[in-house]
Amino acid sequence: MLVTGLETTLFLGFAVALGAFVQSSIGFGVSVVAAPFVIVFAPELMPGAMLLSAFSLPVVQLSVGPRDVVWRPLIWALAGRVLLTPVGVWLVAVLSPQAIGAFAGVLILIVVALSLTPVRVGLSTRNAVVAGAISGVSGTAASIGGPFLALTLQHERPTLVRATLAAFFVTGSMISVAALALAGEITRAQLMAGLIWLPFIGLGFMLAAPARRHLQGPLLRRLVLAFCAVAAVGVILR
């Protein structure tokens, strides 16, 4: 296991800030953007540090932003997440950080590929359960749980997407952190890194204020998907 110094943790904080900027703009992205960097430079901090730091952003979003939540699909998605969260905990226990990184990278690429196809994935009970179940595994093992539910919401209005995903992240992260803690998979180093990254989360959120007003078109969506694809390929190759 690598020993992560303060300098590395602070360096990774800027990746967390960039992820917070993206998530504050379109509704998800803090772990999709930051987790590949953490996996490469400090894999021992995964997934606990990302889950702990990323938890604060949706709390802020729900506190200061519109609470335009679509409740029925959200409840079904959370039910799916609870159902398969133990599988994510098991993966953390039996796989190396590198293997979990490859797993996360493949999942990101799958989401990107699905988002670029003409197939419309609608907001239905079935799709919400499936998205929540996949998030239970990937969100717990690799701290990447948002893209799957976001795929079902991508054709909804921006305020609904952001608020529903924020509510999903708050509850889902609590479930995953509690399950990992009970299994003894949350370390002191992960806890400390998660606390150090909190100011970077706040920085990304504040910088995204203009973006929330102006960057809501298809161009931003394509740029984010392209960045996610590059990050995923990079962590898989590593």
Side-chain angles (χ1 to χ4, degrees):
M1 179 177 292
L2 299 176
V3 177
T4 302
L6 181 59
E7 291 183 359
T8 301
T9 303
L10 291 173
F11 164 74
L12 291 172
F14 291 101
V16 172
L18 178 60
F21 174 89
V22 173
Q23 180 161 317
S24 299
S25 302
I26 66 171
F28 77 98
V30 60
S31 292
V32 174
V33 172
F37 291 96
V38 179
I39 290 168
V40 169
F41 293 102
E44 73 279 5
L45 296 182
M46 291 292 294
M50 281 303 312
L51 285 169
L52 290 166
S53 61
F55 171 80
S56 62
L57 180 57
V59 172
V60 173
Q61 289 176 298
L62 290 174
S63 299
V64 303
R67 297 181 182 88
D68 191 9
V69 178
V70 54
W71 290 104
R72 184 178 176 84
L74 171 63
I75 291 172
W76 282 109
L78 288 172
R81 178 151 186 162
V82 170
L83 186 64
L84 287 192
T85 290
V87 178
V89 175
W90 175 76
L91 288 177
V92 172
V94 301
L95 295 181
S96 68
Q98 290 76 15
I100 292 175
F103 169 72
V106 170
L107 286 175
I108 295 170
L109 288 179
I110 291 173
V111 171
V112 171
L114 289 174
S115 298
L116 295 176
T117 65
V119 177
R120 184 186 178 95
V121 180
L123 184 59
S124 66
T125 297
R126 180 193 62 187
N127 290 341
V129 171
V130 172
I134 298 173
S135 296
V137 179
S138 65
T140 304
S143 76
I144 298 174
F148 310 101
L149 184 59
L151 184 63
T152 71
L153 295 168
Q154 64 178 319
H155 300 292
E156 305 297 326
R157 59 185 179 275
T159 55
L160 184 146
V161 174
R162 294 192 192 102
T164 302
L165 286 174
F168 179 74
F169 291 144
V170 168
T171 309
S173 295
M174 290 175 61
I175 293 170
S176 295
V177 169
L180 288 167
L182 287 173
E185 296 295 341
I186 298 291
T187 67
R188 183 177 181 275
Q190 292 174 358
L191 176 61
M192 293 303 297
L195 293 174
I196 289 172
W197 290 339
L198 289 180
F200 292 93
I201 292 283
L203 176 64
F205 177 78
M206 289 187 295
L207 292 177
R212 286 192 291 272
R213 295 191 297 267
H214 302 295
L215 299 179
Q216 298 189 28
L219 175 60
L220 176 63
R221 177 171 173 269
R222 287 195 296 268
L223 289 174
V224 170
L225 290 174
F227 186 89
C228 290
V230 171
V233 170
V235 74
I236 291 172
L237 292 176
R238 175 79 180 209

